Amino acid sequence: MTAPDPRHIPVLGREAVEALNPRDGGVYVDATFGAGGYSRMILQTPGTRVIGIDRDRTAIAGGFELVDSAEGRLTLVEDRFSHLAEVCAAQGEALVDGVVMDVGVSSMQIDQVERGFSFRFDGPLDMRMSHDGPTAADVVAVASEADLANIIYIFGEERYSRAVAKAIIAARKEAPIVTTHELVAIISKVVWAKPGEIHPATRTFQALRIFVNEELDELHTALAAAERVLKPGGRLAVVSFHSLEDRIVKNFMVERSKTGGGSRHLPEIAQSKPRFSLVNKRPIIAGGEEVSANPRARSAKLRAAERTDTPAQDAGPLPGWPSLDDVMRGG
């Protein structure tokens, strides 16, 4: 195997792969391939096979060297990780031994100015992880003031969301908002940060990125898909980086690991059985050395669970947050 680029070692990578407990002959899904850090670590166990998924074709192209060095044990697929069940079936692996996910934007994507993820660089207001669908500039151009306020509040947890939305509406009447620094200038007029606090644009940029990429919808669906494809004893390991993601992962694993309560009044109703057992009851966080080397690791949390033999259940409806399709249609 080729040596990893130290800049692309995934946060909590060793801990996540240990949670998967890879074994000779096992098949594993790296649902967010990125720079291939998890795949590379899994492939260090002889006899493993990895299916790597990423919606970013740049990441897929960057993994070709690893595919070559893996000598047939790594397959890369450009797709959303919410489609992982269909991807596995297409690869002839209806059931797998482990699924690992690193949720959110990657450092590589943030550092690419032309992708428009970062308020630190002046670039096009894009923010798409793939190369199709509406951009952040499109959302900012057509969303109503109410929709913008909801998006920024729900996905960015920005308490000044109404003020930011109002400022965006006023600014776009004067000229289209097409670059990151144009948006930063608008936000900075209504959100102020004290010394030592995060940049005023942080929460709004996070909100738009999550919304444009439908990240929480994707995560909600991908977790249920992982439940469907995991064999009994298979492991699911998820690394998340902010409270919105972690809450979804925590609630999923806790709910799926509960034993449903029966009723003495309705004895004919069978007690439901758990679909997962928790590998770690508390999230694993990065140590001081990793945080020093990579400040992004500060907020990372790893949760892991092991699949039981109880049949999978449906994902259920998405939570009632704003929909990208509805907002772009003016709904």
PDB file of all heavy atoms in Angstrom, residues 125-163:
ATOM      1  N   LEU A 125     -19.467  31.508  -4.944  1.00  0.00           N
ATOM      2  CA  LEU A 125     -20.331  31.042  -3.857  1.00  0.00           C
ATOM      3  C   LEU A 125     -21.029  29.756  -4.316  1.00  0.00           C
ATOM      4  O   LEU A 125     -22.187  29.763  -4.731  1.00  0.00           O
ATOM      5  CB  LEU A 125     -21.347  32.132  -3.506  1.00  0.00           C
ATOM      6  CG  LEU A 125     -22.167  31.937  -2.223  1.00  0.00           C
ATOM      7  CD1 LEU A 125     -21.280  31.814  -1.003  1.00  0.00           C
ATOM      8  CD2 LEU A 125     -23.151  33.085  -2.063  1.00  0.00           C
ATOM      9  N   ASP A 126     -20.282  28.651  -4.262  1.00  0.00           N
ATOM     10  CA  ASP A 126     -20.743  27.382  -4.815  1.00  0.00           C
ATOM     11  C   ASP A 126     -21.186  26.430  -3.703  1.00  0.00           C
ATOM     12  O   ASP A 126     -22.346  26.193  -3.493  1.00  0.00           O
ATOM     13  CB  ASP A 126     -19.627  26.769  -5.667  1.00  0.00           C
ATOM     14  CG  ASP A 126     -20.113  25.606  -6.518  1.00  0.00           C
ATOM     15  OD1 ASP A 126     -20.892  24.782  -6.015  1.00  0.00           O
ATOM     16  OD2 ASP A 126     -19.721  25.511  -7.696  1.00  0.00           O
ATOM     17  N   MET A 127     -20.228  25.841  -2.998  1.00  0.00           N
ATOM     18  CA  MET A 127     -20.436  24.967  -1.832  1.00  0.00           C
ATOM     19  C   MET A 127     -20.967  23.583  -2.169  1.00  0.00           C
ATOM     20  O   MET A 127     -21.277  22.807  -1.258  1.00  0.00           O
ATOM     21  CB  MET A 127     -21.352  25.604  -0.787  1.00  0.00           C
ATOM     22  CG  MET A 127     -20.841  26.893  -0.182  1.00  0.00           C
ATOM     23  SD  MET A 127     -21.782  27.317   1.307  1.00  0.00           S
ATOM     24  CE  MET A 127     -21.183  28.975   1.608  1.00  0.00           C
ATOM     25  N   ARG A 128     -21.067  23.195  -3.421  1.00  0.00           N
ATOM     26  CA  ARG A 128     -21.567  21.862  -3.749  1.00  0.00           C
ATOM     27  C   ARG A 128     -20.466  20.815  -3.585  1.00  0.00           C
ATOM     28  O   ARG A 128     -19.348  21.006  -4.046  1.00  0.00           O
ATOM     29  CB  ARG A 128     -22.077  21.825  -5.185  1.00  0.00           C
ATOM     30  CG  ARG A 128     -23.294  22.686  -5.447  1.00  0.00           C
ATOM     31  CD  ARG A 128     -23.625  22.722  -6.920  1.00  0.00           C
ATOM     32  NE  ARG A 128     -22.519  23.279  -7.702  1.00  0.00           N
ATOM     33  CZ  ARG A 128     -22.500  23.342  -9.023  1.00  0.00           C
ATOM     34  NH1 ARG A 128     -23.521  22.862  -9.718  1.00  0.00           N
ATOM     35  NH2 ARG A 128     -21.466  23.866  -9.661  1.00  0.00           N
ATOM     36  N   MET A 129     -20.804  19.713  -2.925  1.00  0.00           N
ATOM     37  CA  MET A 129     -19.851  18.608  -2.816  1.00  0.00           C
ATOM     38  C   MET A 129     -19.748  17.855  -4.130  1.00  0.00           C
ATOM     39  O   MET A 129     -18.694  17.333  -4.472  1.00  0.00           O
ATOM     40  CB  MET A 129     -20.270  17.663  -1.694  1.00  0.00           C
ATOM     41  CG  MET A 129     -20.124  18.277  -0.316  1.00  0.00           C
ATOM     42  SD  MET A 129     -20.648  17.140   0.967  1.00  0.00           S
ATOM     43  CE  MET A 129     -20.325  18.127   2.429  1.00  0.00           C
ATOM     44  N   SER A 130     -20.849  17.779  -4.855  1.00  0.00           N
ATOM     45  CA  SER A 130     -20.814  17.218  -6.202  1.00  0.00           C
ATOM     46  C   SER A 130     -20.728  18.396  -7.162  1.00  0.00           C
ATOM     47  O   SER A 130     -20.479  19.520  -6.756  1.00  0.00           O
ATOM     48  CB  SER A 130     -22.072  16.379  -6.459  1.00  0.00           C
ATOM     49  OG  SER A 130     -23.225  17.170  -6.309  1.00  0.00           O
ATOM     50  N   HIS A 131     -20.957  18.129  -8.440  1.00  0.00           N
ATOM     51  CA  HIS A 131     -20.838  19.206  -9.421  1.00  0.00           C
ATOM     52  C   HIS A 131     -22.159  19.444 -10.137  1.00  0.00           C
ATOM     53  O   HIS A 131     -22.184  19.939 -11.257  1.00  0.00           O
ATOM     54  CB  HIS A 131     -19.728  18.870 -10.424  1.00  0.00           C
ATOM     55  CG  HIS A 131     -18.375  18.796  -9.788  1.00  0.00           C
ATOM     56  ND1 HIS A 131     -17.535  19.885  -9.653  1.00  0.00           N
ATOM     57  CD2 HIS A 131     -17.720  17.748  -9.210  1.00  0.00           C
ATOM     58  CE1 HIS A 131     -16.424  19.514  -9.047  1.00  0.00           C
ATOM     59  NE2 HIS A 131     -16.507  18.230  -8.764  1.00  0.00           N
ATOM     60  N   ASP A 132     -23.257  19.087  -9.467  1.00  0.00           N
ATOM     61  CA  ASP A 132     -24.561  19.340 -10.054  1.00  0.00           C
ATOM     62  C   ASP A 132     -25.506  19.897  -8.986  1.00  0.00           C
ATOM     63  O   ASP A 132     -25.190  19.906  -7.818  1.00  0.00           O
ATOM     64  CB  ASP A 132     -25.143  18.062 -10.687  1.00  0.00           C
ATOM     65  CG  ASP A 132     -25.151  16.890  -9.716  1.00  0.00           C
ATOM     66  OD1 ASP A 132     -25.036  17.114  -8.493  1.00  0.00           O
ATOM     67  OD2 ASP A 132     -25.289  15.745 -10.166  1.00  0.00           O
ATOM     68  N   GLY A 133     -26.670  20.358  -9.442  1.00  0.00           N
ATOM     69  CA  GLY A 133     -27.652  20.910  -8.524  1.00  0.00           C
ATOM     70  C   GLY A 133     -27.410  22.376  -8.222  1.00  0.00           C
ATOM     71  O   GLY A 133     -26.423  22.972  -8.665  1.00  0.00           O
ATOM     72  N   PRO A 134     -28.308  23.000  -7.456  1.00  0.00           N
ATOM     73  CA  PRO A 134     -28.190  24.424  -7.126  1.00  0.00           C
ATOM     74  C   PRO A 134     -26.953  24.727  -6.287  1.00  0.00           C
ATOM     75  O   PRO A 134     -26.547  23.930  -5.444  1.00  0.00           O
ATOM     76  CB  PRO A 134     -29.469  24.714  -6.324  1.00  0.00           C
ATOM     77  CG  PRO A 134     -30.377  23.563  -6.580  1.00  0.00           C
ATOM     78  CD  PRO A 134     -29.512  22.388  -6.872  1.00  0.00           C
ATOM     79  N   THR A 135     -26.366  25.874  -6.539  1.00  0.00           N
ATOM     80  CA  THR A 135     -25.240  26.350  -5.723  1.00  0.00           C
ATOM     81  C   THR A 135     -25.769  27.183  -4.565  1.00  0.00           C
ATOM     82  O   THR A 135     -26.955  27.533  -4.506  1.00  0.00           O
ATOM     83  CB  THR A 135     -24.300  27.223  -6.565  1.00  0.00           C
ATOM     84  OG1 THR A 135     -25.010  28.424  -6.939  1.00  0.00           O
ATOM     85  CG2 THR A 135     -23.826  26.501  -7.809  1.00  0.00           C
ATOM     86  N   ALA A 136     -24.863  27.542  -3.663  1.00  0.00           N
ATOM     87  CA  ALA A 136     -25.240  28.442  -2.572  1.00  0.00           C
ATOM     88  C   ALA A 136     -25.675  29.795  -3.122  1.00  0.00           C
ATOM     89  O   ALA A 136     -26.594  30.429  -2.590  1.00  0.00           O
ATOM     90  CB  ALA A 136     -24.071  28.610  -1.602  1.00  0.00           C
ATOM     91  N   ALA A 137     -25.042  30.247  -4.197  1.00  0.00           N
ATOM     92  CA  ALA A 137     -25.440  31.507  -4.832  1.00  0.00           C
ATOM     93  C   ALA A 137     -26.862  31.422  -5.356  1.00  0.00           C
ATOM     94  O   ALA A 137     -27.628  32.391  -5.277  1.00  0.00           O
ATOM     95  CB  ALA A 137     -24.472  31.858  -5.955  1.00  0.00           C
ATOM     96  N   ASP A 138     -27.241  30.263  -5.907  1.00  0.00           N
ATOM     97  CA  ASP A 138     -28.611  30.079  -6.394  1.00  0.00           C
ATOM     98  C   ASP A 138     -29.609  30.179  -5.250  1.00  0.00           C
ATOM     99  O   ASP A 138     -30.670  30.804  -5.384  1.00  0.00           O
ATOM    100  CB  ASP A 138     -28.750  28.713  -7.071  1.00  0.00           C
ATOM    101  CG  ASP A 138     -27.927  28.592  -8.349  1.00  0.00           C
ATOM    102  OD1 ASP A 138     -27.704  29.629  -9.010  1.00  0.00           O
ATOM    103  OD2 ASP A 138     -27.494  27.470  -8.668  1.00  0.00           O
ATOM    104  N   VAL A 139     -29.290  29.548  -4.125  1.00  0.00           N
ATOM    105  CA  VAL A 139     -30.179  29.597  -2.964  1.00  0.00           C
ATOM    106  C   VAL A 139     -30.323  31.027  -2.455  1.00  0.00           C
ATOM    107  O   VAL A 139     -31.432  31.516  -2.209  1.00  0.00           O
ATOM    108  CB  VAL A 139     -29.659  28.675  -1.840  1.00  0.00           C
ATOM    109  CG1 VAL A 139     -30.468  28.867  -0.555  1.00  0.00           C
ATOM    110  CG2 VAL A 139     -29.690  27.220  -2.279  1.00  0.00           C
ATOM    111  N   VAL A 140     -29.203  31.706  -2.309  1.00  0.00           N
ATOM    112  CA  VAL A 140     -29.216  33.085  -1.831  1.00  0.00           C
ATOM    113  C   VAL A 140     -29.992  33.990  -2.780  1.00  0.00           C
ATOM    114  O   VAL A 140     -30.633  34.965  -2.364  1.00  0.00           O
ATOM    115  CB  VAL A 140     -27.761  33.582  -1.647  1.00  0.00           C
ATOM    116  CG1 VAL A 140     -27.700  35.094  -1.502  1.00  0.00           C
ATOM    117  CG2 VAL A 140     -27.131  32.905  -0.429  1.00  0.00           C
ATOM    118  N   ALA A 141     -29.998  33.653  -4.072  1.00  0.00           N
ATOM    119  CA  ALA A 141     -30.660  34.501  -5.071  1.00  0.00           C
ATOM    120  C   ALA A 141     -32.174  34.348  -5.082  1.00  0.00           C
ATOM    121  O   ALA A 141     -32.885  35.309  -5.406  1.00  0.00           O
ATOM    122  CB  ALA A 141     -30.103  34.192  -6.460  1.00  0.00           C
ATOM    123  N   VAL A 142     -32.687  33.143  -4.746  1.00  0.00           N
ATOM    124  CA  VAL A 142     -34.123  32.917  -4.935  1.00  0.00           C
ATOM    125  C   VAL A 142     -34.910  32.666  -3.650  1.00  0.00           C
ATOM    126  O   VAL A 142     -36.130  32.823  -3.641  1.00  0.00           O
ATOM    127  CB  VAL A 142     -34.375  31.737  -5.907  1.00  0.00           C
ATOM    128  CG1 VAL A 142     -33.666  31.955  -7.232  1.00  0.00           C
ATOM    129  CG2 VAL A 142     -33.962  30.403  -5.294  1.00  0.00           C
ATOM    130  N   ALA A 143     -34.245  32.268  -2.570  1.00  0.00           N
ATOM    131  CA  ALA A 143     -34.975  31.931  -1.341  1.00  0.00           C
ATOM    132  C   ALA A 143     -35.654  33.163  -0.761  1.00  0.00           C
ATOM    133  O   ALA A 143     -35.126  34.273  -0.809  1.00  0.00           O
ATOM    134  CB  ALA A 143     -34.020  31.327  -0.316  1.00  0.00           C
ATOM    135  N   SER A 144     -36.826  32.953  -0.206  1.00  0.00           N
ATOM    136  CA  SER A 144     -37.527  34.051   0.457  1.00  0.00           C
ATOM    137  C   SER A 144     -36.822  34.415   1.752  1.00  0.00           C
ATOM    138  O   SER A 144     -35.983  33.655   2.262  1.00  0.00           O
ATOM    139  CB  SER A 144     -38.962  33.631   0.775  1.00  0.00           C
ATOM    140  OG  SER A 144     -38.966  32.625   1.781  1.00  0.00           O
ATOM    141  N   GLU A 145     -37.157  35.572   2.290  1.00  0.00           N
ATOM    142  CA  GLU A 145     -36.540  35.993   3.548  1.00  0.00           C
ATOM    143  C   GLU A 145     -36.852  35.002   4.665  1.00  0.00           C
ATOM    144  O   GLU A 145     -35.976  34.667   5.473  1.00  0.00           O
ATOM    145  CB  GLU A 145     -37.037  37.388   3.925  1.00  0.00           C
ATOM    146  CG  GLU A 145     -36.374  37.935   5.191  1.00  0.00           C
ATOM    147  CD  GLU A 145     -36.752  39.384   5.473  1.00  0.00           C
ATOM    148  OE1 GLU A 145     -37.120  40.110   4.537  1.00  0.00           O
ATOM    149  OE2 GLU A 145     -36.673  39.789   6.665  1.00  0.00           O
ATOM    150  N   ALA A 146     -38.095  34.500   4.694  1.00  0.00           N
ATOM    151  CA  ALA A 146     -38.467  33.532   5.731  1.00  0.00           C
ATOM    152  C   ALA A 146     -37.690  32.234   5.585  1.00  0.00           C
ATOM    153  O   ALA A 146     -37.215  31.661   6.577  1.00  0.00           O
ATOM    154  CB  ALA A 146     -39.970  33.264   5.669  1.00  0.00           C
ATOM    155  N   ASP A 147     -37.557  31.759   4.326  1.00  0.00           N
ATOM    156  CA  ASP A 147     -36.799  30.528   4.102  1.00  0.00           C
ATOM    157  C   ASP A 147     -35.332  30.700   4.479  1.00  0.00           C
ATOM    158  O   ASP A 147     -34.729  29.824   5.109  1.00  0.00           O
ATOM    159  CB  ASP A 147     -36.903  30.092   2.645  1.00  0.00           C
ATOM    160  CG  ASP A 147     -38.210  29.376   2.339  1.00  0.00           C
ATOM    161  OD1 ASP A 147     -38.823  28.838   3.272  1.00  0.00           O
ATOM    162  OD2 ASP A 147     -38.608  29.351   1.162  1.00  0.00           O
ATOM    163  N   LEU A 148     -34.735  31.817   4.090  1.00  0.00           N
ATOM    164  CA  LEU A 148     -33.334  32.064   4.441  1.00  0.00           C
ATOM    165  C   LEU A 148     -33.141  32.080   5.951  1.00  0.00           C
ATOM    166  O   LEU A 148     -32.189  31.498   6.486  1.00  0.00           O
ATOM    167  CB  LEU A 148     -32.863  33.394   3.842  1.00  0.00           C
ATOM    168  CG  LEU A 148     -32.470  33.379   2.364  1.00  0.00           C
ATOM    169  CD1 LEU A 148     -32.214  34.800   1.880  1.00  0.00           C
ATOM    170  CD2 LEU A 148     -31.237  32.513   2.133  1.00  0.00           C
ATOM    171  N   ALA A 149     -34.052  32.762   6.652  1.00  0.00           N
ATOM    172  CA  ALA A 149     -33.942  32.820   8.115  1.00  0.00           C
ATOM    173  C   ALA A 149     -34.039  31.428   8.721  1.00  0.00           C
ATOM    174  O   ALA A 149     -33.277  31.077   9.636  1.00  0.00           O
ATOM    175  CB  ALA A 149     -35.026  33.733   8.681  1.00  0.00           C
ATOM    176  N   ASN A 150     -34.956  30.602   8.213  1.00  0.00           N
ATOM    177  CA  ASN A 150     -35.099  29.241   8.733  1.00  0.00           C
ATOM    178  C   ASN A 150     -33.871  28.392   8.439  1.00  0.00           C
ATOM    179  O   ASN A 150     -33.398  27.640   9.294  1.00  0.00           O
ATOM    180  CB  ASN A 150     -36.335  28.576   8.117  1.00  0.00           C
ATOM    181  CG  ASN A 150     -37.620  29.042   8.753  1.00  0.00           C
ATOM    182  OD1 ASN A 150     -37.631  29.457   9.906  1.00  0.00           O
ATOM    183  ND2 ASN A 150     -38.710  29.005   8.005  1.00  0.00           N
ATOM    184  N   ILE A 151     -33.368  28.486   7.217  1.00  0.00           N
ATOM    185  CA  ILE A 151     -32.174  27.720   6.839  1.00  0.00           C
ATOM    186  C   ILE A 151     -31.006  28.078   7.746  1.00  0.00           C
ATOM    187  O   ILE A 151     -30.308  27.201   8.273  1.00  0.00           O
ATOM    188  CB  ILE A 151     -31.815  28.002   5.360  1.00  0.00           C
ATOM    189  CG1 ILE A 151     -32.865  27.386   4.431  1.00  0.00           C
ATOM    190  CG2 ILE A 151     -30.422  27.459   5.023  1.00  0.00           C
ATOM    191  CD1 ILE A 151     -32.797  27.907   3.008  1.00  0.00           C
ATOM    192  N   ILE A 152     -30.781  29.372   7.928  1.00  0.00           N
ATOM    193  CA  ILE A 152     -29.621  29.825   8.709  1.00  0.00           C
ATOM    194  C   ILE A 152     -29.789  29.489  10.190  1.00  0.00           C
ATOM    195  O   ILE A 152     -28.816  29.140  10.875  1.00  0.00           O
ATOM    196  CB  ILE A 152     -29.404  31.337   8.489  1.00  0.00           C
ATOM    197  CG1 ILE A 152     -29.032  31.602   7.024  1.00  0.00           C
ATOM    198  CG2 ILE A 152     -28.312  31.882   9.401  1.00  0.00           C
ATOM    199  CD1 ILE A 152     -29.124  33.058   6.616  1.00  0.00           C
ATOM    200  N   TYR A 153     -31.019  29.529  10.672  1.00  0.00           N
ATOM    201  CA  TYR A 153     -31.259  29.218  12.085  1.00  0.00           C
ATOM    202  C   TYR A 153     -31.175  27.712  12.350  1.00  0.00           C
ATOM    203  O   TYR A 153     -30.512  27.263  13.287  1.00  0.00           O
ATOM    204  CB  TYR A 153     -32.637  29.734  12.510  1.00  0.00           C
ATOM    205  CG  TYR A 153     -32.949  29.459  13.961  1.00  0.00           C
ATOM    206  CD1 TYR A 153     -32.347  30.204  14.973  1.00  0.00           C
ATOM    207  CD2 TYR A 153     -33.818  28.431  14.328  1.00  0.00           C
ATOM    208  CE1 TYR A 153     -32.612  29.940  16.312  1.00  0.00           C
ATOM    209  CE2 TYR A 153     -34.092  28.153  15.659  1.00  0.00           C
ATOM    210  CZ  TYR A 153     -33.485  28.920  16.647  1.00  0.00           C
ATOM    211  OH  TYR A 153     -33.739  28.654  17.969  1.00  0.00           O
ATOM    212  N   ILE A 154     -31.834  26.910  11.500  1.00  0.00           N
ATOM    213  CA  ILE A 154     -31.905  25.466  11.739  1.00  0.00           C
ATOM    214  C   ILE A 154     -30.565  24.786  11.477  1.00  0.00           C
ATOM    215  O   ILE A 154     -30.082  23.995  12.295  1.00  0.00           O
ATOM    216  CB  ILE A 154     -32.998  24.829  10.863  1.00  0.00           C
ATOM    217  CG1 ILE A 154     -34.381  25.323  11.306  1.00  0.00           C
ATOM    218  CG2 ILE A 154     -32.930  23.301  10.930  1.00  0.00           C
ATOM    219  CD1 ILE A 154     -35.509  24.950  10.349  1.00  0.00           C
ATOM    220  N   PHE A 155     -29.938  25.094  10.341  1.00  0.00           N
ATOM    221  CA  PHE A 155     -28.717  24.385   9.954  1.00  0.00           C
ATOM    222  C   PHE A 155     -27.435  25.068  10.433  1.00  0.00           C
ATOM    223  O   PHE A 155     -26.378  24.440  10.439  1.00  0.00           O
ATOM    224  CB  PHE A 155     -28.670  24.208   8.437  1.00  0.00           C
ATOM    225  CG  PHE A 155     -29.828  23.423   7.894  1.00  0.00           C
ATOM    226  CD1 PHE A 155     -30.687  23.970   6.961  1.00  0.00           C
ATOM    227  CD2 PHE A 155     -30.072  22.128   8.326  1.00  0.00           C
ATOM    228  CE1 PHE A 155     -31.763  23.251   6.459  1.00  0.00           C
ATOM    229  CE2 PHE A 155     -31.144  21.400   7.840  1.00  0.00           C
ATOM    230  CZ  PHE A 155     -32.000  21.962   6.905  1.00  0.00           C
ATOM    231  N   GLY A 156     -27.523  26.336  10.803  1.00  0.00           N
ATOM    232  CA  GLY A 156     -26.347  27.035  11.301  1.00  0.00           C
ATOM    233  C   GLY A 156     -26.429  27.395  12.763  1.00  0.00           C
ATOM    234  O   GLY A 156     -25.446  27.818  13.360  1.00  0.00           O
ATOM    235  N   GLU A 157     -27.623  27.229  13.358  1.00  0.00           N
ATOM    236  CA  GLU A 157     -27.846  27.589  14.768  1.00  0.00           C
ATOM    237  C   GLU A 157     -27.389  29.030  15.037  1.00  0.00           C
ATOM    238  O   GLU A 157     -26.789  29.324  16.072  1.00  0.00           O
ATOM    239  CB  GLU A 157     -27.162  26.588  15.694  1.00  0.00           C
ATOM    240  CG  GLU A 157     -27.682  25.161  15.486  1.00  0.00           C
ATOM    241  CD  GLU A 157     -26.998  24.134  16.358  1.00  0.00           C
ATOM    242  OE1 GLU A 157     -25.756  23.998  16.247  1.00  0.00           O
ATOM    243  OE2 GLU A 157     -27.679  23.466  17.152  1.00  0.00           O
ATOM    244  N   GLU A 158     -27.690  29.894  14.056  1.00  0.00           N
ATOM    245  CA  GLU A 158     -27.304  31.304  14.130  1.00  0.00           C
ATOM    246  C   GLU A 158     -28.445  32.102  14.772  1.00  0.00           C
ATOM    247  O   GLU A 158     -29.541  32.174  14.232  1.00  0.00           O
ATOM    248  CB  GLU A 158     -27.002  31.829  12.727  1.00  0.00           C
ATOM    249  CG  GLU A 158     -26.768  33.332  12.620  1.00  0.00           C
ATOM    250  CD  GLU A 158     -25.635  33.818  13.486  1.00  0.00           C
ATOM    251  OE1 GLU A 158     -24.468  33.643  13.077  1.00  0.00           O
ATOM    252  OE2 GLU A 158     -25.929  34.365  14.584  1.00  0.00           O
ATOM    253  N   ARG A 159     -28.191  32.706  15.927  1.00  0.00           N
ATOM    254  CA  ARG A 159     -29.258  33.420  16.626  1.00  0.00           C
ATOM    255  C   ARG A 159     -29.636  34.726  15.928  1.00  0.00           C
ATOM    256  O   ARG A 159     -30.708  35.271  16.184  1.00  0.00           O
ATOM    257  CB  ARG A 159     -28.854  33.691  18.074  1.00  0.00           C
ATOM    258  CG  ARG A 159     -27.570  34.483  18.238  1.00  0.00           C
ATOM    259  CD  ARG A 159     -27.275  34.702  19.705  1.00  0.00           C
ATOM    260  NE  ARG A 159     -25.984  35.342  19.906  1.00  0.00           N
ATOM    261  CZ  ARG A 159     -25.592  35.836  21.080  1.00  0.00           C
ATOM    262  NH1 ARG A 159     -26.385  35.774  22.132  1.00  0.00           N
ATOM    263  NH2 ARG A 159     -24.399  36.390  21.195  1.00  0.00           N
ATOM    264  N   TYR A 160     -28.762  35.219  15.055  1.00  0.00           N
ATOM    265  CA  TYR A 160     -29.077  36.434  14.297  1.00  0.00           C
ATOM    266  C   TYR A 160     -29.567  36.089  12.891  1.00  0.00           C
ATOM    267  O   TYR A 160     -29.390  36.861  11.951  1.00  0.00           O
ATOM    268  CB  TYR A 160     -27.840  37.329  14.210  1.00  0.00           C
ATOM    269  CG  TYR A 160     -27.332  37.775  15.563  1.00  0.00           C
ATOM    270  CD1 TYR A 160     -26.095  37.344  16.029  1.00  0.00           C
ATOM    271  CD2 TYR A 160     -28.084  38.631  16.364  1.00  0.00           C
ATOM    272  CE1 TYR A 160     -25.629  37.741  17.272  1.00  0.00           C
ATOM    273  CE2 TYR A 160     -27.616  39.041  17.609  1.00  0.00           C
ATOM    274  CZ  TYR A 160     -26.393  38.587  18.058  1.00  0.00           C
ATOM    275  OH  TYR A 160     -25.922  38.981  19.283  1.00  0.00           O
ATOM    276  N   SER A 161     -30.202  34.938  12.736  1.00  0.00           N
ATOM    277  CA  SER A 161     -30.602  34.459  11.412  1.00  0.00           C
ATOM    278  C   SER A 161     -31.550  35.422  10.709  1.00  0.00           C
ATOM    279  O   SER A 161     -31.449  35.622   9.491  1.00  0.00           O
ATOM    280  CB  SER A 161     -31.249  33.077  11.520  1.00  0.00           C
ATOM    281  OG  SER A 161     -32.389  33.129  12.370  1.00  0.00           O
ATOM    282  N   ARG A 162     -32.467  36.015  11.430  1.00  0.00           N
ATOM    283  CA  ARG A 162     -33.423  36.934  10.790  1.00  0.00           C
ATOM    284  C   ARG A 162     -32.716  38.181  10.267  1.00  0.00           C
ATOM    285  O   ARG A 162     -33.025  38.665   9.166  1.00  0.00           O
ATOM    286  CB  ARG A 162     -34.522  37.321  11.770  1.00  0.00           C
ATOM    287  CG  ARG A 162     -35.467  36.177  12.117  1.00  0.00           C
ATOM    288  CD  ARG A 162     -36.569  36.622  13.050  1.00  0.00           C
ATOM    289  NE  ARG A 162     -37.457  35.524  13.397  1.00  0.00           N
ATOM    290  CZ  ARG A 162     -38.485  35.632  14.221  1.00  0.00           C
ATOM    291  NH1 ARG A 162     -38.763  36.806  14.785  1.00  0.00           N
ATOM    292  NH2 ARG A 162     -39.244  34.586  14.493  1.00  0.00           N
ATOM    293  N   ALA A 163     -31.778  38.681  11.048  1.00  0.00           N
ATOM    294  CA  ALA A 163     -31.036  39.869  10.618  1.00  0.00           C
ATOM    295  C   ALA A 163     -30.187  39.552   9.394  1.00  0.00           C
ATOM    296  O   ALA A 163     -30.098  40.368   8.459  1.00  0.00           O
ATOM    297  CB  ALA A 163     -30.156  40.384  11.759  1.00  0.00           C
TER     298      ALA A 163
END
